[in-house]
Each structure stands twice: as structure tokens, then as C-alpha cells.
Amino acid sequence: MTQDEIKLPLILDIKGNSLDDGPGIRSVVFYKGCPLSCVWCHNPESKKAAVEISFEAKTCINCGACREVCPKNALACDNPFYVDRRICDLCFLCVDACPSGALDKIGTLMSINDIVKKILPDKPFFDTSGGGVTLSGGEPTLFMDFTSGLLMSLKQNSIHTLLETCGFFDIQKFIDKLYPYLDAIYFDIKIIDDEAHKKYCGVSNEKILNNFRQLFRKTADDGKMLLPRIPLIPNITDTESNIQEIALFLKSMNINEAALLAYNPLWHEKSDKVGVNDPYKNCKMMTSFSDRDVLERCNRIFDASGINTIL
Amino acid sequence: MTKGGARYNSSGTACIGLADITDSMMVIKKLIFEEKKITFPRLLDAVNTNFKNDSKLLAQIKNKMVLFGSGDEEALAMANRVTKLAHDIFIEHENYRGGKYTAGFWSMSNHVAFGTLTGALPSGRLAGKAFTPGLTPEPHASRSILDNIRDVAKLKAENMNNNIAFNVKVVPGVQETHQKNVDIIYSYVKTYSDLGGMQMQLNVVSSKTLRDAMEHPENYQNLLVRISGYNAYFVTLNREMQMELIERAEFNI
């Protein structure tokens, strides 16, 4: 699907009381659909822009209600993913029948009004904590017009807005449609070597790095916040050479602050739920949390370049 | 001592299990009357047998019902209806001093003791388990503590004239600075008061710590916890009370 064909995003989740996605107490709107396909994606259910079915084995009470209603016989206990997604036509009769919530529909079509209405009750908490709303995903910039309207509506309600982005977007559209309504941008920088970026993230990083440079100049002029964030993925992004190159890239713009995101292996379970084969399932490094030593090593590299890191 | 008459002569009551009653009423309202998914005899049978023969119904109730404390308007309206009912009944009665009975919603540690004597409820609370403490929502009512706080703040104070106890357990993140934790808790309490809340009490401790204190009480002689209207040394509590504290909803900050 190209960017132009997608008009309305599916929303994965709206998470209240988030304390890790920007200042204060925030609500995070997770979009579904992303132009990148990072092998370590922490929200594997957010990669596709289409509705999906998920199954969580540990929640299932094996009552059989779903198998009784499935018109396609797509559900089988001997299938490790339970749902045969080649046969399933996403009628979701099983989800309605499931008493435990083990089967679930991933992705909901919501209007801008629906989203704002859901968020507004938490506004008093934003106001007392200096918080607001964070758009995340998935990738909100895949849906420029919708996101523009949503941000506009949030600003009309005097809500602080923050965007988390992979940086792969049309910069002109971004500046015209989103930028005016954004208070802060968290911009992921993953891999500097383009071949490695293509291999692990599915696209070239040329556009991403160019967008970052342009946005850096613009935010510096306007006094808006642009925070580069580096996810530390074992042996992929956290290598000595990649961290050095990122530090160099940031230093070339005199940037003095970056966020390091410690690795968190909890996404493996989520891969199973949406029936995606997980090549790192048995990889020890990819199934444990970031080592303290690794964090300290990366910290030191940034320190040496005069870049202050926040965890 | 009361010659001439004390100005305020009321007697206070303490009602236990507001969330248990509200959620039970919601199950009956939704599943039996509105959605017609189950019958009264089926629910009665499930409750009488502690849901042993109807795990499907228990799963449905536990996972698909909207509860008090989830931000759902209907559940909140039901909670206000329950508190009003209790208030209106008590206020009609006169005590021996000629004063009125007032309705309170706090439980000291009685939600645990009374729970051990009570059978299963339509809300899915199993026989013998503790009731919810004070007027605190069920732990699984919402993933967000803000929904709990907003709902409790919106309970009508005039129906709760012998006061309330709202217990909240928060776990500070290991990476967070002390200042950030203080700021976040400030924001919870301030917003709650702004929205009309009248009392809340916080435990800032993780279940992991409490479990460790059960195993190694010698290391935790000074660990003070808030029960429901009073403080106690955790290691001096009985096992049921300790478990109830551990099972309370835990929100990361």
C-alpha cells in the first residue's frame, strides 16, 4: 500500500497515564501501520496498516466457543499460532464468542472526535503535571491529513502535543501539515550505515537522516523540542561503530542531548500473538534486557562527544 | 456529659464492598437484562457453586464487563445509585441520642474478615476472597489509575456523609528520580481534589517488596503500610490481610 492510498488510520490503542513518552502524565495514541519493518519492532502488531486477529495462549481457557462459530475452520489447537491466517477471513465471530479475551481484533477505525473524546477526561491530569498527548505507533506520519486534523483539535483544546517518529516521511508535507501543531518531536535514529539500515529496517536511511537535519535547523530556529532517540538493539544498533557514527552525526549539528532507549525483549510474546515468525526467539541476547555494561559503554561514547544522554 | 444536647449527634456506619456490589449489579443489568446473554438461574447456579462448573461465565465476567473505576459512565452511575440507596436508608433511622445514621464507605481491615465469611458474587469475586478495600475499584477495572481516580472523585459526596477510604498502590520506577515520583503523585492527588475527591491514601511500595517481607519479616520490621483508614506494620498483619495488600491494583509510576 502506498502512502497516498491510506487515508484513515487504524488505532491500536490509547494508553492513559503514560509516564515514559514525554513530559508529565500523557495519553499515547498508537497508530497501526509503519513504512519501516525493523526486525526488533517492539510493537509487531503495529507494523501492518490493516486489521489483524490476535491470540494469546496464556489467556485462553480452552472452552471451544470460538471453534464452534468459526465458519472457515481456521482455528486448531495443534497450530502453534492457533489461528490459520491463510484461511481466516477476519469475520471476528470468534472474537465475539471468546469469553476470556484470548482472541482479539487488532486495530480500530476511530474518528478524530472519537480519539479526542476518549482523551479529554484525562486533561486535568495533563494540566497538573505538565503532560499532554503523544502520537506513536506504528507511524503517525503515514496519515498526514488525519494526523494534522487530530493535532489541530488537540491544540484547540490547549493540549501539549508530542510526536514519536521513525523519520521516514515527506518533509514538505510534514512541515505544512504537522509541524505547526507540534510542541515536541522524538525522532528515532537507528543505524547510520545505509546497507545495514536497509537490512534491518527495510528501507534506506537517506531520507530519515536528511529529514532530521532539516527539522533540526527548523526546530532550533523556532525553539521547539527535537529529541533524537537511539534504541539500543543488541549487536544491531548498540555496536561500538554504530554508536560512534550516531554521536558523530549528532555532533555535526552541535546537538548536545539524546535519549538512549534500553532494550526490552517483551515484544517476542506479541509476535506470537499476531502469528508472525520470530527469527530471534531463541537468541539469548535478543531475549534479555539491556546489560548495564552496554548502557554504560554507549553512554561513555556520547559523553566523549559532549552529548548528554537521558535514559 | 451531653446535657443540653450535643450539636452533632449522628452515628456513623461503614459500608464494605461498594465496588463488589456495583460490579455485581452491572453484571445482572448487562448480561441478564440488556444483552440477554445469560439467565438468572444460570448466574445463581454459578454463584452457588463458586463458578466451579461455569468457568466460561467467570471468564466472560472477568474480561468483558465494564467495571466501576474503568471510566465507564454507566458503572459510575450504578455506584452512585448504590451509595444513595445506603445513604437514604440509614438517614431515615434515628439513634438513641436522637441523631441520624450516616453512611460511610471504608472498611478498616473488615473487608478481609467479612470476605472470608461470604460466598461468591455475580462480579466474579470468588467465595472467601477479600472484598475490595474501602470504596476502591477492582484491580482489573482499568490499566490506568487515572480512570480509578476520576471515577472515585465523581462519586457524590452527599451520599457518603460518614466519609470514605480510597486506597491506591503505586510502584515507583527504578529509573525514575525521587523528584519525578513526587511530582507524579502530587499530580494524582491534586487532580483528584480538583475533581471533587475528598480522601485518598497511597501505598508507595511494590508487591515484590511485600512478598519478600512475608518471607523475611526480620528484614522489614519498620515497613509501614496503609490498610484502609489506618496504618500498620506489615509484618504484624495476618496472612489474609497481607495477601489482600499484595493483590491490590498496582500502578507503575
Side-chain angles (χ1 to χ4, degrees):
Chain A
M1 212 183 279
T2 68
Q3 288 199 26
D4 290 338
E5 287 175 275
I6 305 165
K7 293 282 183 259
L8 296 176
L10 290 162
I11 302 301
L12 206 60
D13 193 12
I14 298 178
K15 185 182 165 217
N17 194 36
S18 173
L19 309 172
D20 303 311
D21 295 276
I25 296 176
R26 311 190 72 83
S27 290
V28 186
V29 182
F30 291 93
Y31 284 59
K32 192 158 158 48
C34 184
L36 270 57
S37 55
C38 305
V39 293
W40 65 80
C41 182
H42 281 55
N43 293 324
E45 72 280 24
S46 76
K47 285 179 156 181
K48 283 189 206 161
V51 172
E52 289 178 86
I53 184 164
S54 76
F55 174 73
E56 186 173 54
K58 68 176 182 204
T59 312
C60 175
I61 57 166
N62 202 15
C63 67
C66 52
R67 294 193 291 276
E68 277 169 35
V69 297
C70 179
K72 298 275 177 182
N73 281 324
L75 308 169
C77 297
D78 56 0
N79 176 348
F81 294 128
Y82 191 58
V83 183
D84 188 337
R85 290 174 173 81
R86 293 165 308 179
I87 311 175
C88 170
D89 65 354
L90 301 172
C91 71
F92 296 111
L93 286 174
C94 59
V95 172
D96 295 336
C98 175
S100 69
L103 283 160
D104 207 359
K105 181 181 169 184
I106 308 283
T108 313
L109 214 49
M110 291 178 87
S111 69
I112 289 171
N113 256 343
D114 291 342
I115 297 175
V116 174
K117 215 172 130 189
K118 184 132 173 77
I119 287 170
L120 270 184
D122 281 347
K123 185 166 186 289
F125 294 94
F126 306 159
D127 295 343
T128 53
S129 69
V133 170
T134 298
L135 305 186
S136 186
E139 179 54 46
T141 63
L142 262 188
F143 311 90
M144 288 287 187
D145 291 316
F146 182 90
T147 302
S148 181
L150 175 57
L151 288 170
M152 208 187 299
S153 180
L154 292 170
K155 289 318 294 178
Q156 277 162 4
N157 285 288
S158 311
I159 292 173
H160 179 271
T161 56
L162 189 153
L163 171 76
E164 292 179 343
T165 180
C166 69
F168 193 83
F169 48 71
D170 179 321
I171 186 76
Q172 202 47 53
K173 279 189 187 161
F174 184 94
I175 286 172
D176 291 343
K177 297 184 177 194
L178 309 190
Y179 189 80
Y181 313 110
L182 279 171
D183 295 306
I185 303 162
Y186 283 8
F187 195 121
D188 281 9
I189 304 285
K190 291 162 181 141
I191 305 173
I192 298 291
D193 180 80
D194 199 27
E195 285 315 305
H197 197 278
K198 282 180 196 157
K199 179 178 169 196
Y200 291 113
C201 304
V203 298
S204 162
N205 65 12
E206 199 189 327
K207 195 197 255 185
I208 297 172
L209 299 181
N210 278 335
N211 285 348
F212 185 86
R213 285 191 199 95
Q214 291 201 47
L215 271 185
F216 171 72
R217 279 194 295 272
K218 194 153 175 57
T219 50
D221 287 347
D222 300 342
K224 289 193 184 190
M225 187 196 195
L226 173 69
L227 179 70
R229 299 202 306 173
I230 299 105
L232 300 177
I233 312 303
N235 267 349
I236 299 180
T237 69
D238 75 355
T239 60
E240 183 94 21
S241 60
N242 187 51
I243 296 296
Q244 290 276 12
E245 283 169 1
I246 292 178
L248 212 63
F249 172 74
L250 298 177
K251 199 64 213 160
S252 72
M253 288 166 268
N254 282 324
I255 285 174
N256 53 21
E257 191 170 67
L260 298 182
L261 305 176
Y263 181 71
N264 164 350
L266 299 174
W267 60 274
H268 293 281
E269 267 179 44
K270 299 203 251 177
S271 259
D272 279 350
K273 279 173 68 176
V274 286
V276 174
N277 273 314
D278 172 1
Y280 296 104
K281 203 170 189 164
N282 298 314
C283 167
K284 190 165 177 286
M285 259 184 150
M286 289 290 258
T287 49
S288 21
F289 286 86
S290 269
D291 238 22
R292 257 212 117 65
D293 298 352
V294 173
L295 289 176
E296 277 166 22
R297 174 172 55 76
C298 296
N299 249 330
R300 272 200 303 276
I301 297 174
F302 281 101
D303 256 5
S305 308
I307 299 169
N308 184 30
T309 50
I310 38 184
L311 280 173
Chain B
M1 212 164 78
T2 57
K3 200 151 189 207
R7 198 175 169 128
Y8 298 104
N9 248 329
S10 61
S11 291
T13 64
C15 306
I16 294 175
L18 175 64
D20 302 279
I21 296 168
T22 303
D23 297 341
S24 293
M25 297 305 282
M26 284 299 287
V27 166
I28 294 168
K29 181 173 188 256
K30 291 304 235 191
L31 292 184
I32 297 178
F33 286 98
E34 289 176 11
E35 296 168 13
K36 299 191 173 23
K37 278 192 176 147
I38 59 166
T39 61
F40 249 129
R42 180 174 166 197
L43 181 63
L44 188 64
D45 187 53
V47 165
N48 283 338
T49 55
N50 202 21
F51 290 92
K52 275 207 177 70
N53 308 318
D54 208 340
S55 54
K56 205 168 146 181
L57 179 59
L58 183 62
Q60 194 176 355
I61 288 171
K62 286 274 184 196
N63 298 292
K64 300 215 161 166
M65 289 304 303
V66 286
L67 308 180
F68 168 59
S70 68
D72 180 74
E73 290 293 328
E74 241 183 296
L76 176 64
M78 181 64 83
N80 272 321
R81 202 171 144 188
V82 174
T83 54
K84 185 172 187 317
L85 178 78
H87 169 271
D88 290 355
I89 289 173
F90 281 123
I91 207 78
E92 279 176 12
H93 295 273
E94 214 169 71
N95 65 23
Y96 67 94
R97 296 183 303 271
K100 301 284 188 195
Y101 280 93
T102 55
F105 295 85
W106 42 271
S107 58
M108 308 285 284
S109 57
N110 291 328
H111 57 285
V112 178
F114 289 9
T116 61
L117 305 171
T118 312
L121 293 180
S123 66
R125 176 199 149 279
L126 296 177
K129 292 284 280 180
F131 288 112
T132 46
L135 50 47
T136 311
E138 271 287 345
H140 64 282
S142 175
R143 289 177 305 163
S144 166
I145 187 184
L146 309 189
D147 293 331
N148 280 199
I149 293 176
R150 274 190 283 100
D151 274 8
V152 173
K154 283 188 210 151
L155 288 172
K156 290 190 178 121
E158 65 264 32
N159 296 326
M160 310 186 294
N161 47 357
N162 192 32
N163 223 306
I164 62 168
F166 173 33
N167 301 284
V168 175
K169 185 164 79 178
V170 291
V171 185
V174 274
Q175 287 179 358
E176 298 307 351
T177 59
H178 177 72
Q179 190 54 48
K180 181 169 174 186
N181 290 328
V182 171
D183 289 346
I184 296 297
I185 291 174
Y186 159 80
S187 176
Y188 292 159
V189 178
K190 172 79 172 103
T191 313
Y192 174 69
S193 315
D194 290 348
L195 294 175
M198 58 173 162
Q199 184 271 9
M200 82 191 291
Q201 48 195 33
L202 295 131
N203 277 309
V204 185
V205 64
S206 74
S207 295
K208 209 173 141 200
T209 305
L210 296 180
R211 281 183 201 283
D212 197 48
M214 281 179 83
E215 274 173 46
H216 307 286
E218 66 281 6
N219 300 335
Y220 294 91
Q221 291 300 310
N222 295 323
L223 175 60
L224 205 57
V225 288
R226 188 81 181 158
I227 309 293
S228 192
Y230 70 103
N231 298 335
Y233 288 103
F234 184 76
V235 295
T236 65
L237 301 170
N238 69 28
R239 204 190 127 73
E240 282 75 23
M241 191 63 234
Q242 288 179 329
M243 284 313 292
E244 190 275 320
L245 276 159
I246 287 171
E247 286 167 8
R248 281 183 191 176
E250 184 166 294
F251 297 98
N252 290 305
I253 61 168

